[in-house]
Amino acid sequence: MILLDGKRIAAEIHQELAVEVAQLNSRGIEPHIALLLVGDNPASLSYVRSKSRACEQVGIRSTVVHLPAATSEQEILAYIEQWNADPAIHGILVQLPLPAHVRSDTILQAISPQKDVDGFHPVNVGRLVVGLPALLPCTPAGIVELLRRYQIRLAGKHVVIVGRSTIVGKPLANLLVQKAPWADAIVTVCHSGAPDLRRYTLDADVLVVAVGRAQMIRGEHVRQGAVVVDVGINRLEDASAPKGYRIVGDVDFASVAEKASALTPVPGGVGPMTIAMLLRNTVTIAAGTAWEKPPFQ
Ligand code: NDP
């Protein structure tokens, strides 16, 4: 079985991006991302920290604004408007989830589509669906890039995605059905309404799991020789672990490893690829090519 090492591939991409950033610097451009965090969700705090640290490693400047949970929608919108208008800010990211009194859609739609590093704005979603160059959502793009760098071809393959969220399942399905050399897959999307998941998952050449349920997909769901991508990040309490918990995926690693020909670990699989794609989006915006270059060249 091949371990699809997202950490190693992400490090490779970071090195490539550092070169691009240096070239931009020599043209007087300093890629710069603004990250907005509202409230004190510990997972969100840790994600924003990792993103900001990764930016600095490749030479992207990051400005982090951390607001209290009670911040109003108006105050958040004021930051976004200020960053939209600031030519020195290339990317804007609002860490989700937002507190319940804030309408996420309103906030995400206020971000300029050309600074939308997360690829969640409806303009970018629409461009992706019709096959125009777009700022792609980072997790789906990271999955495609990881498979591509391991030379796992998707053309003509049956890809089964478990989970239809707007940040993973749906955009990934839209990417993989594109008529393009890096896609061209036959795609099935499953969700909680599927009466018998195994009926679909057992037919998958490539199985992508994004359900948010710890270790739900087991060996019995997987066809011998399938490629399995585990998107899940779940905290499992574990008194013996230094932090009192450990991170596991949506896939039961041990039983799936016996069936799969290739499998992503958690941590160290899709997570680092997601951050690498965030950095790449920021650099392409700074370079002015975000809506010009087709993806995955
Ligand atoms: P959501 O909760 O938004 O969506 C989960 C999806 O799984 C839904 O479509 C849901 O169906 C489906 N689902 C839930 N239970 C079942 C079931 N028993 N059978 C079939 N389908 C089911 O999750 P996200 O997409 O945001 O995240 C999924 C996981 O990926 C989480 O663990 C999250 O932490 C992780 N994640 C990791 C990232 C990374 O960088 N590695 C980035 C983003 C997320 P329905 O629509 O019917 O409710």
Side-chain angles (χ1 to χ4, degrees), residues 264-282:
T264 58
V266 176
V270 175
M273 291 301 298
T274 297
I275 294 186
M277 294 300 103
L278 175 71
L279 305 186
R280 182 190 273 180
N281 278 349
T282 309

Side-chain angles (χ1 to χ4, degrees), residues 26-262:
S26 68
R27 287 165 46 200
I29 300 166
E30 184 187 25
H32 186 174
I33 184 173
L35 303 156
L36 183 66
L37 172 64
V38 187
D40 292 307
N41 178 324
S44 295
L45 272 166
S46 130
Y47 292 145
V48 168
R49 250 185 244 126
S50 312
K51 290 170 185 175
S52 167
R53 209 180 306 127
C55 283
E56 272 145 36
Q57 278 166 7
V58 304
I60 296 172
R61 184 167 160 205
S62 68
T63 296
V64 178
V65 172
H66 187 179
L67 301 173
T71 306
S72 71
E73 216 171 85
Q74 278 315 315
E75 287 170 90
I76 298 172
L77 288 171
Y79 274 98
I80 293 174
E81 277 159 25
Q82 182 198 322
W83 289 331
N84 280 344
D86 183 348
I89 300 274
H90 302 101
I92 301 172
L93 180 146
V94 177
Q95 184 64 44
L96 300 178
L98 286 163
H101 68 276
V102 180
R103 288 169 297 177
S104 301
D105 284 352
T106 305
I107 301 299
L108 295 180
Q109 287 176 34
I111 296 172
S112 160
Q114 274 145 322
K115 297 190 177 189
D116 173 33
V117 273
D118 256 338
F120 293 159
H121 193 286
V123 168
N124 281 308
V125 177
R127 293 180 69 96
L128 156 61
V129 172
V130 298
L132 285 170
L135 284 160
L136 297 176
C138 302
T139 302
I143 293 168
V144 172
E145 188 65 46
L146 181 65
L147 296 176
R148 221 174 62 87
R149 294 209 181 205
Y150 274 93
Q151 295 176 345
I152 295 172
R153 286 183 53 80
L154 299 172
K157 301 274 177 62
H158 186 195
V159 180
V160 176
I161 303 169
V162 191
R164 60 172 160 191
S165 72
T166 50
I167 63 170
V168 187
K170 273 189 215 163
L172 180 63
N174 278 310
L175 260 183
L176 296 184
V177 294
Q178 295 299 323
K179 199 171 174 72
W182 45 266
D184 227 4
I186 291 90
V187 180
T188 299
V189 182
C190 298
H191 46 74
S192 63
D196 175 12
L197 258 192
R198 292 176 74 230
R199 175 173 158 201
Y200 308 97
T201 59
L202 279 175
D203 192 56
D205 299 309
V206 179
L207 179 62
V208 182
V209 188
V211 286
R213 289 169 192 262
Q215 300 168 322
M216 188 187 98
I217 296 296
R218 305 182 50 81
E220 73 216 36
H221 292 91
V222 177
R223 183 158 96 180
Q224 194 70 44
V227 172
V228 180
V229 176
D230 185 358
V231 183
I233 300 176
N234 309 285
R235 284 185 184 196
L236 268 197
E237 282 186 30
D238 181 350
S240 68
K243 291 184 178 166
Y245 65 86
R246 63 194 164 94
I247 300 290
V248 298
D250 292 345
V251 166
D252 176 53
F253 190 88
S255 63
V256 170
E258 284 176 20
K259 293 279 198 65
S261 61

